[in-house]
Amino acid sequence: MRSTLYMFISLLFLGVKHGYAQPLVFVAEDLPPYHFSDKNGNAAGALVDITKAVLHEAQLQGQFEIMPMARAYHELQNNPLALMMSLLKTSSRASQFTWLGQLYFADAYLVSLKGSPHHVSTLNDAQQFRVGTIRGYSSARYLQSAGFVEDKNLLLASHYQQLWHVLFKRRVDFVMTNTLTLEKELKNSGYSALKVEKKLHITHFPSALHLVANKQIPNNICQRLAIALQSIKKKGLYQQILARWKLKVPPQKK
């Protein structure tokens, strides 16, 4: 059954150049300025623009959907036409999907309210406190693998606004989060970034955000997308898009 479905999808993609193939579906969570729904309900953001440039370079079709992270991840796992615009590559995920290249990066920190008396030097130190993150995120699995237990010292929120709410209501002592979007998340949640501070950099947490595809998307399509991504980087278009969104270019691996 699986091979039959794969062959059917492959046949669909053979018609791409003739204009009748079904479009790829690019999913992502609501995380401005990278990917979010604009006032008209359309997908927007730096990584949306980059992905559109990749599609144009590869001469492929695609549509975009913004949804909660847990649902987006479910789509990536179960929709044979799905790709995710920004996913951290972990050992458990490496063999589940086809990884097409790095779109951006994210550094993880434990963040507390400013003036909090709690100080930690290692993630192990934080186990005596309550730490929050978002359900469905790799950060949740990372904390659980490090020994954190839900309803004991781990609280899992459904959305970043709820996550910051529980911190400011002091239901958690720390939040594990990507601080690149810290100010925007706090502002959208009704809080000031001046009221929080970084306490611990999670240095061993994966930082590269990848464009990733469902395993059933044919290899030739994935190769075209991967080559197109490298092409727009070499041409400077990738860097121009990031500059337009006032974002830094990811650090190069040495």
Side-chain angles (χ1 to χ4, degrees):
M1 181 68 179
R2 182 185 180 91
S3 60
T4 302
L5 179 60
Y6 184 89
M7 290 176 63
F8 175 68
I9 294 169
S10 297
L11 288 172
L12 284 175
F13 280 115
L14 288 176
V16 168
K17 64 182 179 181
H18 300 293
Y20 58 80
Q22 289 187 7
L24 299 166
V25 180
F26 292 85
V27 299
E29 63 178 314
D30 179 21
L31 190 64
Y34 307 108
H35 26 67
F36 59 95
S37 294
D38 65 17
K39 62 182 180 180
N40 297 315
N42 299 317
L47 302 192
V48 173
D49 287 351
I50 289 171
T51 305
K52 287 180 178 178
V54 169
L55 282 170
H56 179 78
E57 184 76 12
Q59 297 184 346
L60 292 170
Q61 300 174 348
Q63 62 188 40
F64 297 80
E65 297 182 18
I66 304 300
M67 59 188 68
M69 179 61 182
R71 182 182 159 203
Y73 193 73
H74 182 268
E75 283 290 309
L76 177 63
Q77 289 178 305
N78 296 282
N79 183 346
L81 292 172
L83 300 95
M84 186 177 285
M85 284 179 277
S86 58
L87 188 66
L88 291 165
K89 189 174 185 179
T90 64
S91 57
S92 63
R93 292 173 174 170
S95 62
Q96 294 184 47
F97 310 110
T98 301
W99 303 83
L100 307 181
Q102 181 178 353
L103 284 193
Y104 207 58
F105 72 102
D107 281 329
Y109 282 83
L110 289 188
V111 174
S112 72
L113 293 177
K114 185 162 286 188
S116 168
H118 305 313
H119 298 284
V120 291
S121 299
T122 66
L123 192 59
N124 188 57
D125 292 343
Q127 289 198 32
Q128 62 185 302
F129 303 110
R130 296 163 298 172
V131 178
T133 192
I134 299 179
R135 189 180 301 279
Y137 275 33
S138 56
S139 56
R141 289 181 285 275
Y142 181 84
L143 288 171
Q144 289 169 328
S145 67
F148 288 81
V149 178
E150 193 172 1
D151 296 327
K152 179 183 176 184
N153 55 3
L154 176 63
L155 186 150
L156 298 180
S158 59
H159 190 271
Y160 70 78
Q161 291 175 323
Q162 181 188 16
L163 182 63
W164 292 115
H165 181 71
V166 296
L167 178 67
F168 276 82
K169 291 295 183 181
R170 302 181 187 274
R171 290 180 57 196
V172 296
D173 304 298
F174 298 98
V175 158
M176 182 173 173
T177 186
N178 158 33
T179 55
L180 288 176
T181 59
L182 184 66
E183 291 188 19
K184 287 184 179 293
E185 285 187 12
L186 286 165
K187 182 179 179 180
N188 290 342
S189 303
Y191 300 108
S192 169
L194 299 176
K195 300 291 185 179
V196 302
E197 59 183 331
K198 300 175 185 178
K199 282 294 182 72
L200 179 68
H201 185 200
I202 313 298
T203 55
H204 297 295
F205 190 74
S207 62
L209 295 172
H210 295 264
L211 177 62
V212 58
N214 183 288
K215 276 281 192 179
Q216 294 189 50
I217 294 178
N219 287 336
N220 67 309
I221 299 300
C222 292
Q223 289 171 1
R224 286 168 65 177
L225 290 169
I227 291 170
L229 175 57
Q230 292 306 311
S231 178
I232 68 166
K233 288 181 178 180
K234 289 180 181 178
K235 292 178 178 179
L237 179 57
Y238 172 82
Q239 294 83 351
Q240 291 173 20
I241 293 172
L242 290 179
R244 189 164 67 242
W245 284 92
K246 296 180 172 57
L247 295 174
K248 296 179 182 178
V249 175
Q252 298 299 310
K253 293 183 178 179
K254 298 182 179 180

